[in-house]
Amino acid sequence: EETERTEISGYDVAIDTSNWLYKYMTTTTRFTRKDAYTNGNGVKLPNLIGVPSGVRKLVKNNVRPVFVFDGKPHKLKREEIDRRKKKRREALEKAQDAKDNSVEESKYESRSQKLNNDIIETTKKLLDILDMPYVTAPQAAESQGAHMTNSDKFDAMISDDYDSLVFGSKCTIRKFTKSSDTVEKMSLKKSLDKYNISRQQLVLATILCGTDYNSGVSGIGPKTSIDIVDENDTIEDVLDYIDDDIEDIHEIFNLYMDPVVDDNYPDPKISNPDTEEAREYLKQQGVSISEVDKSLKEIDENSSQTGISSF
């Protein structure tokens, strides 16, 4: 459902950090000069311009986050990871071929972004300074975040990845990073009720279409998959109906229905960001302060206002 951004003011949320961070990193690399986010060692850190921009939006909208980082990927996700790496390599090659066209070069370089150790560690450091809590999931951030939404501490999960719904997130906020006054709100209960299916049937339908852990069944899309699970609501019934086998289907089904998650995560809170320390840290990392100054000022102003209102 499309809803006004103001409707989620006061929400406590789990954030799929990789998904959230990519949005700001790709925007930064596409529209900001490289030297603004390259440190003295030549390491590119577009996340350090992206994070203040993203945190500004959270504070401005009075949304209290706990950021969730991905843990070690499940072995069945290797093929999907390799596919993404290939796409990034191809984008990087196109960027190198377009060096005489700065617009094209920036476009393809933005598509080649990846979350390496430098990106992850500097993001965590900046979140510490801005007093934003985070946790590293045992495996997928989507599954950990979805698990957190089913506690009484969280209202929703912020992610553009539909997997959050399949992992059981009770409420998922999409399109939060966009500049629009509206966001997309996905309710798991309403989604299941709309098609009169259970979450188990939703997972089976997703496996038929294809997931991060399998390629799906040829010729079966979303509509057909829902029709199939409507009449065949167990793994065995589905396999009998399609008269075929799906490799690792039981393991994939359990990855969604009973994922590896951690109950040891921080609570959401009203943050007390140290924007002056953030400026110093960003300077040390070679970030052009002119690129983040507006965001840091807004974080400072809105944090003070939120604290006064809450008090």
Side-chain angles (χ1 to χ4, degrees), residues 173-197:
I173 307 299
R174 300 184 69 252
K175 303 181 181 178
F176 183 84
T177 60
K178 294 186 178 295
S179 57
S180 169
D181 290 332
T182 60
V183 295
E184 185 178 290
K185 192 175 181 182
M186 290 195 304
S187 161
L188 176 61
K189 184 179 185 306
K190 288 183 180 181
S191 299
L192 297 177
D193 288 349
K194 179 177 179 178
Y195 295 101
N196 193 29
I197 59 173

Side-chain angles (χ1 to χ4, degrees), residues 196-206 225-226 229-234 253:
N196 193 29
I197 59 173
S198 66
R199 185 165 154 241
Q200 289 89 336
Q201 287 170 297
L202 173 64
V203 171
L204 286 173
T206 307
S225 69
I226 292 293
V229 301
D230 189 45
E231 299 293 334
N232 306 273
D233 58 2
T234 69
F253 182 82

Side-chain angles (χ1 to χ4, degrees), residues 9-246:
S9 177
Y11 269 31
D12 292 324
V13 301
I15 294 185
D16 178 358
T17 308
S18 296
N19 187 278
W20 178 86
L21 197 52
Y22 268 122
K23 303 291 181 182
Y24 291 106
M25 285 173 59
T26 53
T27 301
T28 299
T29 51
R30 187 161 185 180
F31 300 109
T32 309
R33 66 187 195 282
K34 293 179 186 177
D35 63 327
Y37 55 83
T38 305
N39 69 16
N41 296 321
V43 178
K44 296 182 179 64
L45 298 169
N47 58 307
L48 294 184
I49 290 178
V51 168
S53 179
V55 168
R56 172 195 63 82
K57 186 167 286 188
L58 291 165
V59 175
K60 182 179 181 180
N61 289 278
N62 190 26
V63 174
R64 296 176 290 272
V66 172
F67 288 86
V68 185
F69 287 84
D70 281 304
K72 185 177 180 180
H74 192 276
K75 65 181 187 297
L76 291 179
K77 198 172 181 178
R78 176 53 53 193
E79 188 174 323
E80 173 64 14
I81 291 171
D82 291 341
R83 184 188 69 80
R84 294 177 187 178
K85 282 182 178 178
K86 183 182 178 183
K87 285 186 70 174
R88 288 197 296 267
R89 281 197 305 270
E90 289 171 350
L92 187 58
E93 289 169 4
K94 288 180 179 178
Q96 292 167 345
D97 291 341
K99 287 202 175 289
D100 294 332
N101 185 329
S102 59
V103 174
E104 286 293 293
E105 182 186 9
S106 296
K107 179 178 76 174
Y108 287 118
E109 185 155 337
S110 71
R111 296 176 185 176
S112 71
Q113 294 305 301
K114 63 179 179 179
L115 299 185
N116 55 39
N117 285 337
D118 290 320
I119 296 288
I120 292 169
E121 292 309 313
T122 53
T123 295
K124 287 180 177 179
K125 175 64 176 176
L126 189 52
L127 289 177
D128 282 333
I129 294 170
L130 295 175
D131 197 29
M132 294 284 160
Y134 58 82
V135 64
T136 298
Q139 289 186 358
E142 307 101 289
S143 61
Q144 177 67 33
H147 173 68
M148 290 159 67
T149 69
N150 286 287
S151 75
D152 58 6
K153 296 178 181 178
F154 294 86
D155 300 293
M157 179 176 177
I158 288 180
S159 178
D160 282 350
D161 193 335
Y162 285 109
D163 253 6
S164 57
L165 188 76
V166 190
F167 273 115
S169 171
K170 70 180 179 186
C171 178
T172 304
I173 307 299
R174 300 184 69 252
K175 303 181 181 178
F176 183 84
T177 60
K178 294 186 178 295
S179 57
S180 169
D181 290 332
T182 60
V183 295
E184 185 178 290
K185 192 175 181 182
M186 290 195 304
S187 161
L188 176 61
K189 184 179 185 306
K190 288 183 180 181
S191 299
L192 297 177
D193 288 349
K194 179 177 179 178
Y195 295 101
N196 193 29
I197 59 173
S198 66
R199 185 165 154 241
Q200 289 89 336
Q201 287 170 297
L202 173 64
V203 171
L204 286 173
T206 307
I207 293 171
L208 288 170
C209 292
T211 70
D212 284 350
Y213 308 106
N214 75 304
S215 57
V217 178
S218 178
I220 296 181
K223 187 177 184 305
T224 303
S225 69
I226 292 293
D227 290 340
I228 291 172
V229 301
D230 189 45
E231 299 293 334
N232 306 273
D233 58 2
T234 69
I235 292 176
E236 288 69 26
D237 287 345
V238 166
L239 294 178
D240 284 343
Y241 180 85
I242 65 173
D243 194 25
D244 199 357
D245 188 30
I246 298 176

